[in-house]
Amino acid sequence: MREELYYKPSGGAPFFGLMITMIVGTLGGAVLSIIYALVSITTTLSSTSL
Amino acid sequence: MIATGLFGAGCGGCAVFGLSLGKVRGRLTNAFAGFIIGFASLYLAWVWYLFLAARDSFGQGLFFFDTSAMFSFMQLIAANGMWEIGGATPTGGALYTIWVIEAFIVLIPAILIAFSADTPFCEPCNQWSEESACSVTFRAPEDLDQFRQSLEDENYSPLFDNALLSPEDVCLHAKIHRCPKCDGSTWLEVEQVRTWLDDKGEAQSSKDTVMKHLAISRQYAEALLALLPDPSGVISEESPATQNDLVEEGFQDEELG
């Protein structure tokens, strides 16, 4: 296999792009975290002993 | 467990979406972003979980954004247990172990999915490539190494001469990634797809990557995409069906992107 013929990511990571990545990714993750917490609490809290 | 894995995969998907918007294209940077986003999402999931648990237990929801308060409440849960598994209520070290495993189940998919994001990027145009799948499938070669070698040598006849009118149980699928702005950056991806019927008679399939993101000239890429299965039983004559046809039409190889 001739590696030079295949695409390789340049490794480019612009600072502004990284900021967008973190903001967008964390916002999406925040929404998912609410759903996950609701699923977790409804499936595990039935036998709470607190 | 499944919900936890899906949550981790979702965090990875959010990371990939963010990486795409931010035009970040480095495997290690991607993995780092997946870790940070997965970790932040896990932290927020704990904030929400403790809020809901406190509301259920004490009648009042409290947000534990402060990590020391969060850990105190987690210690309270660990000391008393909160839920049953197999008739037992895990507490103490067992519960901490479960939480650590849960954290890994979230973080590992998030990191791996972000790391595996490898859509080709056209550096001159500062633009992600767009993916197009070939309409036809191709007969799988007996010798995949030779097949790869041929394509690397810019001999595309193993594809052009083996286009199928209908998919076979084992066949090749080809995709083209091309820059929407320029003609220079074009890559070929080939997968071998196996299809079979399981014991219930339901169709199952598996995919193996034969080659990923081989730089090819735009003319050959367009010719591959132009191949159309024809109901009359022949490959469409509107497109050059073989590499020789392209050569006869006077296409010259461009500098590969």
Side-chain angles (χ1 to χ4, degrees):
Chain A
M1 192 163 131
R2 289 148 66 187
E3 297 284 345
E4 71 277 9
L5 297 176
Y6 292 84
Y7 171 78
K8 275 196 177 54
S10 67
F15 177 77
F16 188 60
L18 273 175
M19 290 300 105
I20 290 175
T21 301
M22 294 303 171
I23 292 167
V24 171
T26 306
L27 283 176
V31 174
L32 291 177
S33 70
I34 297 170
I35 298 168
Y36 178 60
L38 282 169
V39 170
S40 298
I41 207 78
T42 51
T43 54
T44 62
L45 207 55
S46 57
S47 60
T48 181
S49 53
L50 277 176
Chain B
M1 184 74 85
I2 294 171
T4 310
L6 287 176
F7 177 49
C11 293
C14 290
V16 171
F17 182 63
L19 290 164
S20 173
L21 282 181
K23 296 184 177 177
V24 178
R25 62 267 182 205
R27 304 299 287 271
L28 289 177
T29 318
N30 289 3
F32 179 70
F35 172 76
I36 295 293
I37 290 166
F39 193 84
S41 303
L42 187 63
Y43 165 77
L44 290 172
W46 267 108
V47 170
W48 280 106
Y49 184 82
L50 296 179
F51 169 82
L52 294 169
R55 190 187 63 172
D56 195 81
S57 300
F58 308 124
Q60 183 181 3
L62 294 169
F63 282 110
F64 294 92
F65 285 109
D66 177 18
T67 49
S68 62
M70 178 187 278
F71 288 139
S72 297
F73 194 19
M74 288 169 76
Q75 284 172 341
L76 178 66
I77 293 174
N80 295 278
M82 193 153 181
W83 41 269
E84 289 185 357
I85 182 168
T89 302
T91 56
L95 194 52
Y96 285 124
T97 304
I98 290 171
W99 287 341
V100 169
I101 292 170
E102 180 189 31
F104 276 107
I105 294 174
V106 173
L107 290 176
I108 290 174
I111 293 168
L112 289 180
I113 288 172
F115 179 78
S116 62
D118 61 352
T119 301
F121 189 84
C122 179
E123 296 290 341
C125 301
N126 195 34
Q127 181 88 22
W128 292 108
S129 64
E130 293 178 351
E131 181 184 295
S132 306
C134 290
S135 303
V136 298
T137 57
F138 304 91
R139 181 166 291 116
E142 292 180 5
D143 187 343
L144 283 175
D145 288 333
Q146 178 132 21
F147 173 81
R148 277 190 212 96
Q149 183 71 46
S150 295
L151 297 190
E152 287 175 357
D153 293 338
E154 300 184 43
N155 170 18
Y156 303 105
S157 57
L159 282 177
F160 283 108
D161 295 346
N162 289 291
L164 297 169
L165 298 171
S166 58
E168 296 180 346
D169 290 345
V170 180
C171 59
L172 301 180
H173 287 205
K175 294 177 194 167
I176 301 293
H177 297 263
R178 51 188 169 170
C179 174
K181 284 188 177 174
C182 72
D183 288 339
S185 300
T186 313
W187 297 275
L188 171 69
E189 182 178 347
V190 180
E191 291 175 331
Q192 182 168 265
V193 179
R194 294 174 188 276
T195 311
W196 70 93
L197 294 177
D198 64 12
D199 297 339
K200 297 175 183 172
E202 294 175 357
Q204 303 289 333
S205 65
S206 67
K207 289 180 182 176
D208 294 311
T209 300
V210 175
M211 63 185 347
K212 198 158 197 180
H213 305 154
L214 172 71
I216 67 171
S217 73
R218 179 58 66 99
Q219 283 81 5
Y220 286 119
E222 300 289 353
L224 281 170
L225 289 173
L227 291 174
L228 293 171
D230 190 298
S232 64
V234 293
I235 300 294
S236 171
E237 294 179 358
E238 293 178 1
S239 61
T242 67
Q243 186 179 6
N244 288 338
D245 292 337
L246 283 172
V247 173
E248 286 169 10
E249 288 178 19
F251 284 130
Q252 299 295 319
D253 287 346
E254 290 187 343
E255 186 179 345
L256 299 180

